Amino acid sequence: MPDSPAGPPTPPIPLAELLAREELGLRRIAGPEHADLLWVHTSEMADPYPYLLGGELLLTAGVQLADADTYVARLVQAGASALGFGVAPVHDTVPPALVEACERHGLPLVEVPPETRFTTIARAVWRLMAEARHRELRRVTRAQQALATAAARPDPVPAVLRQLAVQLDGRVTLLAADGGVLHAAGGRTAPDVRTALARLARLVAPAPLPGTPSAPGRKPSPASATDTRGGTHLFAYALGGGQGLVLTLATPRRDSGDHTVAGIAVVLLSLLTAPHQGADAAGRSAALVRLLLGAAPQDVAPLLGEGDSNDWTVVQARRADGTPADALNAGALGAALGSALSEVDRDTVRILLPCPHEAVAPQPGWTLGVSEPSPVTALRDADVQAARALGHAEATRTPLGTHRPGAGGLADLIPADRAEAHARALLAPLTEPLAGTLRCWLSLHGSWDRTAVALKVHRNTVRQRIARCAALLDADLDDMDVRTELWFALRRG
């Protein structure tokens, strides 16, 4: 599967967008019109080459400008995207030799008026980059939702391919291990494009094609490959599942989020085409998608099937290093736990495990929260249990938290209906946020810091909420008897 970042990379900013900001007063006076800016760098060094990464708009006042041709040649060699020259206080005008050098080497040269500070330009670029990234994130989010909806259709594989072709505005093909076309969507491509795509598919094929002897010392195939042909951007991705399937794409452009969108499709297609994904298993994957998109549990219960048990365990997980999870992470974690039923909601992964199953073990790089086994009609409650277990695990800095039901022991001595009635009456003054905070605070033995971590709020917010609980309940929360009664009520309410 392709490597996928937590989100789409920040798209480059076209130089034209920066020049269009009239308040900056910038003017291109040499070089090509088009340039993509990745960041801004200011330098007055005679040779800034060692400090450039490529893609910069380099801003300078020409303090040490001596040989303009050598200076510009070094910038081009370093991969700078454009040069911004500040007029005054060193030079009253842009040196003609610099204009000629930029024109000769094909580097856009922008005149910066005296009243425009370099920091103002940098802020404008960062603002444009933030806006572009938000647009791309929204686009990727919409694409992910559309692909998930397509995966829930009765014909999930063709539906996902059609939606992917729409999202990327290109040609999408699913190839078998022998190179044959299984499914395709989108417009037709030229013969030379098809030839190039076939070559890319062979490059990423996870195993030798049937009848082809494996070369001694054959290196592992890359998970993805890219190429261009006559302005058309080509991609190939190997699917997981051991079937030797390859997804190929041909698109008229290559936007920053396209790789992320394709990665989401690769995960869905890998799950849908895996050997264990018969009609029943594919229906189960679709059921989870529908459930997490808001369908009522009773509507998806038939798709999840009866099997040996009606019970399911919900696992919630977050990356231990705090980085957001994505569809690729979710699929890999689900596979490690033995389930193809996984979903990502912002930074949290949800996985459904059919019972009976092996005990959930800690996973490197993850913090897990595990619910108790529940019927499909109670999955929402199980999801809440998993969320609480995950919050407790994060607060206590343990890799795995498991929900422990409150039944058993002394609690069984009180009839359930009487216990629930008492709990409702006792906790009636509390709203759900207050009750949830009190429950978490008591479970963590009154620790302000751990509760703040578990609820992802400031410790002062926890203090304020607990004080509000004490006032509404007219109770001394430092009294162990009071805490015990409240804990019992919170577990039964």
Side-chain angles (χ1 to χ4, degrees):
M1 294 184 191
D3 296 327
S4 178
T10 300
I13 302 303
L15 177 61
E17 286 193 20
L18 185 63
L19 297 177
R21 303 293 292 265
E22 295 182 358
E23 71 276 12
L24 298 177
L26 304 179
R27 185 169 64 95
R28 184 183 61 85
I29 58 177
E33 296 181 3
H34 178 75
D36 288 331
L37 311 179
L38 294 176
W39 35 65
V40 178
H41 182 66
T42 301
S43 175
E44 297 301 338
M45 299 183 66
D47 181 15
Y49 175 94
Y51 302 94
L52 300 182
L53 299 175
E56 295 92 349
L57 167 62
L58 178 66
L59 300 175
T60 182
V63 174
Q64 299 192 55
L65 181 64
D67 186 340
D69 190 76
T70 300
Y71 181 81
V72 173
R74 292 284 283 172
L75 295 184
V76 172
Q77 186 179 358
S81 291
L83 174 64
F85 193 89
V87 176
V90 180
H91 297 269
D92 294 333
T93 61
V94 180
L98 185 62
V99 176
E100 295 174 2
C102 286
E103 195 68 47
R104 182 164 50 253
H105 290 283
L107 181 69
L109 175 61
V110 177
E111 180 186 69
V112 181
E115 63 273 12
T116 301
R117 297 182 179 181
F118 287 175
T119 54
T120 303
I121 298 174
R123 283 198 297 266
V125 171
W126 303 141
R127 189 177 301 112
L128 289 171
M129 292 178 69
E131 293 171 356
R133 179 165 176 79
H134 289 158
R135 288 195 300 270
E136 198 64 11
L137 283 171
R138 287 194 295 270
R139 183 179 78 90
V140 171
T141 299
R142 288 193 297 268
Q144 182 175 8
Q145 293 171 345
L147 290 169
T149 302
R153 290 177 57 85
D155 54 343
V157 173
V160 168
L161 292 174
R162 287 194 297 270
Q163 190 57 238
L164 183 60
V166 170
Q167 295 297 328
L168 300 186
D169 189 26
R171 174 74 171 177
V172 181
T173 307
L174 182 63
L175 302 178
D178 61 0
V181 176
L182 297 177
H183 300 282
R188 303 289 296 176
T189 54
D192 62 326
V193 171
R194 292 196 294 272
T195 300
L197 283 173
R199 185 167 58 252
L200 284 182
R202 289 192 294 271
L203 181 63
V204 304
L209 299 180
T212 304
S214 178
R218 181 179 184 268
K219 295 182 179 180
S221 301
S224 62
T226 63
D227 197 1
T228 57
R229 184 71 68 222
T232 300
H233 299 278
L234 313 180
F235 307 80
Y237 299 94
L239 300 191
Q243 298 290 89
L245 305 182
V246 174
L247 174 69
T248 65
L249 311 172
T251 62
R253 61 182 182 277
R254 181 177 294 174
D255 294 332
S256 60
D258 288 350
H259 185 63
T260 303
V261 174
I264 295 168
V266 167
V267 171
L268 290 172
L269 292 169
S270 296
L271 294 174
L272 294 170
T273 59
H276 65 277
Q277 288 280 354
D280 178 64
R284 292 185 177 191
S285 295
L288 176 64
V289 173
R290 291 173 184 169
L291 182 66
L292 294 174
L293 286 176
Q298 59 268 24
D299 294 338
V300 296
L303 289 174
L304 286 171
E306 298 297 328
D308 298 329
S309 171
N310 282 336
D311 288 344
W312 296 79
T313 298
V314 178
V315 178
Q316 286 202 19
R318 280 192 283 267
R319 301 288 295 272
D321 59 6
T323 58
D326 58 25
L328 289 175
N329 302 143
L333 180 61
L337 296 179
S339 175
L341 304 179
S342 62
E343 188 264 356
V344 182
D345 181 13
R346 298 179 183 175
D347 62 341
T348 304
V349 173
R350 287 185 178 86
I351 297 170
L352 233 59
L353 299 178
C355 298
H357 57 74
E358 297 291 334
V360 177
Q363 300 296 315
W366 293 91
T367 303
L368 308 180
V370 183
S371 77
E372 62 178 325
S374 303
V376 66
T377 53
L379 279 182
R380 290 181 180 175
D381 293 335
D383 190 44
V384 172
Q385 294 174 3
R388 291 175 182 167
L390 175 59
H392 190 277
E394 289 181 323
T396 55
R397 294 178 171 83
T398 54
L400 176 66
T402 303
H403 174 77
R404 302 187 183 279
L410 294 175
D412 284 343
L413 299 178
I414 303 175
D417 56 344
R418 293 181 58 188
E420 292 172 2
H422 173 73
R424 285 195 299 271
L426 180 61
L427 302 174
L430 303 184
T431 61
E432 178 52 37
L434 291 178
T437 301
L438 181 59
R439 182 188 298 108
C440 183
W441 182 71
L442 290 174
S443 74
L444 295 171
H445 310 293
S447 170
W448 308 109
D449 291 330
R450 287 183 177 183
T451 305
V453 171
L455 297 178
K456 295 186 176 180
V457 297
H458 195 276
R459 67 195 308 271
N460 289 342
T461 301
V462 176
R463 287 184 177 275
Q464 292 168 2
R465 290 180 182 177
I466 296 302
R468 182 63 176 160
C469 289
L472 291 172
L473 297 172
D474 191 21
D476 180 7
L477 297 185
D478 291 328
D479 188 320
M480 192 60 191
D481 290 337
V482 173
R483 289 194 183 193
T484 301
E485 184 174 3
L486 287 172
W487 179 246
F488 174 84
L490 288 164
R491 298 300 295 268
R492 287 302 186 105

